[in-house]
Amino acid sequence: MKAENTITNLGIEGMHCASCASLVEKTLKEVPGVTEVNVNLATEKARIKFDPAQTRVEELVAGVVRAGYGATLPGENVVSQREKRKQETSVWLRKFVIGAVLSLPMALFMAYDLTRLVAYKTTIMPWAGIISMILTIPVLVYVGSSFFAGAWSALKVRTFSMDSLIAIGSSTAFIYSGYELIKHYVQTGWFIGLNGQMIPNLYFEVAAFLVTFVALGKYLEAKAKGKTSEAVEKLTGLAPKTARVKREGQEIEIPIEQVGMGDIVVVRPGERIAVDGEVISGYSAVDESILTGESLPVEKQIGSKVYTASINTTGSFEIRTTKIGANTALSQIVKLIEDAQGTKAPIQAAADKISSIFVPVVIGIAILTFIVWYFLLGATLTYSLLTFVAVIVIACPCALGLATPTSIMVGTGKGAEYGVLIKGGEPLEMAQQIKAIVFDKTGTLTKGRPEVTDFANYDPKNKTVLSIIYSIEKKSEHPLAQAITRWGQSKGAKSLGLEKFRAIPGKGVEATVKGQTYLLGNRLLMEDNKISFTTESEMVRLENEGKTVMMVADNKKVIGIIAVADQVRETSASVVAKLTKMGIEVYMMTGDNQHTAQAIAREVGITQVLSQVLPQNKVEEIKKLQDIGFKVAMVGDGINDAPALTQADLGIAMASGADVAMEAGNVVIMNNDLKGVLTALELSSETVGKIRENLFFALFYNVLGIPIAARALVGFGLVLKPELAGLAMALSSVSVVINSLTLKFFRPGKTNWISRLAPIVMVSIFLLIFIEFARFSTVMRQ
């Protein structure tokens, strides 16, 4: 038998841009047995699907190393994202400071060169060239080491990356300046300038400033990126490190890793619950907002379930551990969010495609620019080379690689904050395309805890009708059956013993009680078995009141009816009204008959009702809507509606508290509040809009920057020096990350004005920076 593909996640070290991520993807795809690779620049992780019969995880790590990057195995060298970001930020800050300190004398040389009357100018300037070369070497070797290493790795697999552009630009400036310095020595016998002048045509500072400014950009980028993963850090950081456990009659505090299944854990007022468990003594109210987004505490008594990291507000209680470690609800949620943040939205495919061809195209444009200036327009070699370098460095596609993942990281994290778990970029993007939403009735539009409202015995001679119903329904786990069982118990119904039981999906059950076969269910069940009933008018009356009516019959006639009503959720009507206002077609789908379905639909404001739909037919109803051109979302309980949730373009599962059906649906509403559906749609719209803004920024900066760097607008006074081009490129990546971070101000049902105004403000600032850089470049030595 062929082994199933395995999925693993590797930590990737040393990536700088989209080209780096593409290079790692390309290398991993060449490993035998690998079927799918997704490298996420923002999370610095690779999600790899492979055939374990053909390759091992160690071979995947070796593939990453061959590409010139580092890789860590799952669980190896585990450090939190926060620590990882702190380390990355610290490294880039150190590199920038060292680069800035070494580059400072070169900045002073530039200032001296631009000033006519300064003290000691003729003494200092002759030494400027040799000192600049000496200072530039450590900048390139240490500060720029990762760029040159990345460029070499890309070259080994016959491709280019952002590192290639930085390496080409800085080395061109350094090599050309070195050539001019050696030429001066050959001509004069001196490595210093003559007659109080500096050696002409030296541009060591261009190489040093370029690498230093890019390091500054990397520092700012790392600092900003660290804020995109705060949602996961917040969740993981809230899990207690110790627990108070009863052992041999004593309460002892032990590390959380030592708590075992079945241990008795004591929880005091104000404490965070350390493990998932079931209350075995005591009573309290627990704040579960960290899991569900619901601010109101939930009452807990014996038999209630409690979850890791939720807060005990009042009384003390004891729990028996049911889940620990990676199996707790909190851990599952964190894993779901991390997996979601590691995925790509379909819109990212366009960015990936652009990035894959962008670098070689830029190199081609840079070469063409040099040829035009030097050979066709007769510019000096110095002028033409500086133009070549400026084009090379202005067009690095860093921002393209960050445009999508940073927005997805912030968006999915923000959703989790409000109890809405979105499983990745694809459902996040799909949610804003939805044109029709189908709601399951029971447990979705209604609370899912029905109660018996009416009972009638149509066989006065038979005093056991209620007990017959009770005995049959005790066997069923359907919510309606549980309601009847609870009510029957309260009315003194007795269990008569069940001999046979057969569920008939969508219709009811057939059972044998004391040798007699009974049917319990709806009209369809009676009609299928040709059982006559004279209770039509009573049933219609009850159904018009929104109640679900079931009949119980022997093999001849109906002997009784029982009606059950499920309360509509308080938010159902308002959510339906808002969805309708958004232009979305709203449907209700239920197995109930038309009368009952219409009554509930009227109450919540739905006009399009799909009634008497058997479970196996729900998928067909979804397909019908898709066939007429709708992108369809299905909202259900995540278990009974799993096939329909899968068929829908977007499956939205209503979770039961923190008992999440993790595999059901693309979106999980943790707090069972239908407002979560609106939150998911609003968040999707804002996040996808932010991704499009980011992609526009990334392309806008390049479209604007390349002609300026190529000095095509020199007639308008717009010139861009290579080192300033490098800083502008770095700032473009920072602006994309900052724009994504404005999603943190998202509030359901509120306009995020900061997010809306941010693009306008940042475009204005960036244009101003470009103009100021261009003005400064015109007064600098060409």
Side-chain angles (χ1 to χ4, degrees):
M1 179 181 289
K2 184 180 178 180
E4 291 187 5
N5 283 347
T6 298
I7 294 177
T8 190
N9 290 283
L10 297 181
I12 308 296
E13 299 171 351
M15 293 192 300
H16 306 306
C17 69
S19 298
C20 297
S22 297
L23 178 57
V24 175
E25 280 190 3
K26 178 181 177 182
T27 306
L28 285 172
K29 285 177 180 176
E30 293 173 353
V31 177
V34 172
T35 58
E36 183 181 320
V37 182
N38 180 4
V39 178
N40 190 305
L41 175 63
T43 60
E44 296 179 342
K45 289 182 180 179
R47 182 179 183 273
I48 309 158
K49 184 183 288 187
F50 65 98
D51 182 355
Q54 296 186 54
T55 192
R56 295 174 299 136
V57 174
E58 289 77 11
E59 293 173 30
L60 301 176
V61 172
V64 176
V65 173
R66 277 199 307 275
Y69 301 89
T72 55
L73 293 166
E76 182 181 72
N77 298 327
V78 177
V79 294
S80 70
Q81 281 291 323
R82 180 175 299 174
E83 287 301 315
K84 191 174 180 180
R85 292 296 180 207
K86 281 177 66 176
Q87 292 172 11
E88 182 184 3
T89 303
S90 176
V91 167
W92 283 117
L93 177 60
R94 182 168 63 250
K95 287 192 172 189
F96 166 67
V97 170
I98 291 173
V101 169
L102 293 173
S103 300
L104 181 61
M106 289 179 264
L108 295 176
F109 294 151
M110 291 170 61
Y112 264 55
D113 191 41
L114 293 171
T115 308
R116 292 184 179 181
L117 301 175
V118 291
Y120 309 112
K121 179 175 180 178
T122 56
T123 304
I124 294 173
M125 294 310 291
W127 294 90
I130 190 67
I131 293 173
S132 295
M133 185 189 74
I134 293 171
L135 293 175
T136 300
I137 290 173
V139 174
L140 296 182
V141 172
Y142 174 68
V143 181
S145 59
S146 57
F147 304 134
F148 285 94
W152 174 245
S153 298
L155 190 61
K156 285 193 295 185
V157 292
R158 297 181 299 281
T159 189
F160 296 100
S161 67
M162 183 212 80
D163 292 330
S164 305
L165 299 181
I166 302 299
I168 291 171
S170 56
S171 59
T172 298
F174 183 83
I175 292 170
Y176 173 71
S177 299
Y179 165 76
E180 288 291 337
L181 183 62
I182 292 171
K183 186 173 78 171
H184 177 78
Y185 174 76
V186 170
Q187 292 174 347
T188 66
W190 293 89
F191 278 114
I192 61 173
L194 302 179
N195 303 319
Q197 301 294 315
M198 70 181 297
I199 300 172
N201 299 328
L202 299 186
Y203 292 92
F204 291 113
E205 76 277 2
V206 170
F209 288 157
L210 171 57
V211 170
T212 300
F213 284 152
V214 174
L216 171 61
K218 290 298 174 186
Y219 162 70
L220 296 173
E221 183 184 307
K223 197 172 181 62
K225 276 165 55 179
K227 297 182 180 296
T228 64
S229 58
E230 284 182 351
V232 172
E233 291 295 330
K234 182 180 178 182
L235 285 172
T236 53
L238 290 175
K241 302 296 185 290
T242 61
R244 192 174 290 104
V245 178
K246 276 192 171 182
R247 296 273 173 89
E248 298 178 355
Q250 300 290 321
E251 289 185 17
I252 58 173
E253 191 164 339
I254 62 175
I256 195 67
E257 294 80 11
Q258 296 179 16
V259 178
M261 292 289 290
D263 274 345
I264 306 301
V265 178
V266 180
V267 184
R268 295 176 180 175
E271 291 183 341
R272 287 194 182 273
I273 298 170
V275 293
D276 286 9
E278 183 176 312
V279 178
I280 59 173
S281 69
Y283 170 87
S284 186
V286 174
D287 178 358
E288 296 180 342
S289 59
I290 191 63
L291 300 178
T292 66
E294 178 58 59
S295 58
L296 292 176
V298 181
E299 292 186 0
K300 301 292 181 180
Q301 52 196 354
I302 294 175
S304 298
K305 294 179 180 180
V306 294
Y307 305 98
T308 304
S310 50
I311 302 172
N312 178 28
T313 60
T314 53
S316 296
F317 56 84
E318 295 179 355
I319 62 174
R320 178 175 285 108
T321 302
T322 57
K323 291 180 181 178
I324 57 176
N327 295 319
T328 65
L330 178 68
S331 296
Q332 290 183 55
I333 290 169
V334 168
K335 183 178 183 303
L336 188 150
I337 297 172
E338 288 181 333
D339 287 347
Q341 293 181 342
T343 64
K344 289 183 180 180
I347 196 172
Q348 177 68 22
D352 289 344
K353 189 171 183 179
I354 293 170
S355 295
S356 67
I357 63 173
F358 200 76
V359 174
V361 167
V362 167
I363 293 174
I365 292 173
I367 293 172
L368 181 63
T369 300
F370 174 81
I371 291 171
V372 169
W373 278 109
Y374 188 66
F375 292 103
L376 301 183
L377 300 179
T380 64
L381 178 62
T382 300
Y383 187 94
S384 303
L385 278 175
L386 290 180
T387 305
F388 166 84
V389 173
V391 172
I392 284 283
V393 299
I394 192 63
C396 291
C398 309
L400 271 175
L402 294 168
T404 299
T406 51
S407 294
I408 290 176
M409 287 180 72
V410 180
T412 52
K414 199 66 185 177
E417 185 179 320
Y418 289 102
V420 178
L421 302 183
I422 302 173
K423 297 182 180 180
E426 189 168 348
L428 192 63
E429 185 174 340
M430 175 55 68
Q432 52 92 40
Q433 301 176 34
I434 294 301
K435 296 301 179 185
I437 292 185
V438 179
F439 286 97
D440 176 56
K441 180 180 77 72
T442 306
T444 303
L445 289 171
T446 63
K447 294 179 179 178
R449 187 174 173 83
E451 296 178 353
V452 174
T453 59
D454 301 85
F455 169 71
N457 183 350
Y458 291 120
D459 187 2
K461 295 179 181 179
N462 187 349
K463 304 297 183 183
T464 63
V465 172
L466 177 57
S467 292
I468 291 169
I469 295 173
Y470 173 74
S471 301
I472 295 172
E473 294 291 38
K474 273 185 69 177
K475 179 72 173 177
S476 175
E477 295 181 355
H478 193 280
L480 297 181
Q482 293 175 2
I484 293 171
T485 302
R486 288 194 302 270
W487 185 78
Q489 255 180 335
S490 70
K491 296 299 181 182
K494 297 179 180 179
S495 180
L496 302 178
L498 201 64
E499 297 166 20
K500 291 182 181 180
F501 181 92
R502 182 171 69 92
I504 305 170
K507 298 177 182 179
V509 298
E510 181 183 58
T512 302
V513 180
K514 286 192 171 183
Q516 173 66 51
T517 299
Y518 293 96
L519 297 170
L520 177 60
N522 57 25
R523 280 187 180 83
L524 292 175
L525 182 63
M526 301 303 152
E527 291 170 357
D528 287 351
N529 289 274
K530 297 181 172 51
I531 301 294
S532 62
F533 50 92
T534 58
T535 58
E536 181 65 26
S537 60
E538 178 66 6
M539 291 180 66
V540 170
R541 180 185 70 80
L542 293 171
E543 288 168 351
N544 285 338
E545 294 174 1
K547 299 172 181 177
T548 299
V549 184
M550 288 170 284
M551 294 175 275
V552 60
D554 55 23
N555 54 6
K556 295 180 181 178
K557 64 183 184 302
V558 172
I559 61 175
I561 64 171
I562 190 165
V564 180
D566 192 1
Q567 297 298 311
V568 171
R569 293 183 187 274
E570 292 82 356
T571 56
S572 294
S574 63
V575 169
V576 169
K578 288 177 182 177
L579 289 171
T580 304
K581 190 175 180 181
M582 291 165 64
I584 295 174
E585 299 287 331
V586 182
Y587 295 78
M588 184 181 81
M589 184 159 59
T590 177
D592 281 342
N593 62 76
Q594 189 173 1
H595 293 294
T596 303
Q598 289 290 352
I600 297 294
R602 281 195 300 271
E603 190 173 349
V604 298
I606 294 177
T607 58
Q608 301 176 95
V609 180
L610 307 171
S611 60
Q612 291 182 291
V613 180
L614 300 178
Q616 63 267 30
N617 294 336
K618 287 184 177 181
V619 169
E620 294 303 318
E621 295 297 335
I622 298 293
K623 284 182 179 178
K624 288 178 184 177
L625 293 174
Q626 291 172 326
D627 288 342
I628 61 177
F630 284 135
K631 292 291 185 183
V632 181
M634 170 71 190
V635 187
D637 61 17
I639 302 171
N640 298 329
D641 301 309
L645 288 168
T646 303
Q647 175 61 39
D649 297 288
L650 183 72
I652 303 177
M654 303 292 287
S656 174
D659 288 333
V660 185
M662 286 292 184
E663 298 305 317
N666 312 109
V667 177
V668 180
I669 309 297
M670 291 291 294
N671 55 17
N672 266 355
D673 189 339
L674 278 183
K675 287 182 179 178
V677 176
L678 292 174
T679 300
L681 298 182
E682 291 172 5
L683 186 59
S684 165
S685 178
E686 190 162 329
T687 303
V688 173
K690 194 59 59 180
I691 291 172
R692 288 175 178 148
E693 289 172 5
N694 286 344
L695 292 175
F696 168 77
F697 279 158
L699 295 173
F700 169 76
Y701 294 147
N702 285 301
V703 169
L704 178 67
I706 289 176
I708 296 177
R711 308 195 180 188
L713 304 179
V714 67
F716 298 95
L718 294 177
V719 177
L720 202 56
K721 294 283 287 181
E723 57 269 39
L724 295 181
L727 181 57
M729 178 276 295
L731 291 178
S732 70
S733 297
V734 175
S735 67
V736 162
V737 178
I738 292 174
N739 192 43
S740 296
L741 286 172
T742 61
L743 287 170
K744 282 181 170 287
F745 298 97
F746 170 84
R747 300 288 183 275
K750 306 289 185 182
T751 300
N752 188 349
W753 288 110
I754 293 177
S755 177
R756 288 195 177 186
L757 294 174
I760 300 171
V761 172
M762 282 193 289
V763 166
S764 302
I765 292 174
F766 202 83
L767 284 173
L768 182 61
I769 289 173
F770 255 74
I771 292 170
E772 290 304 312
F773 280 3
R775 286 177 179 172
F776 187 64
S777 295
T778 58
V779 298
M780 293 173 67
R781 176 168 56 88
Q782 301 297 311

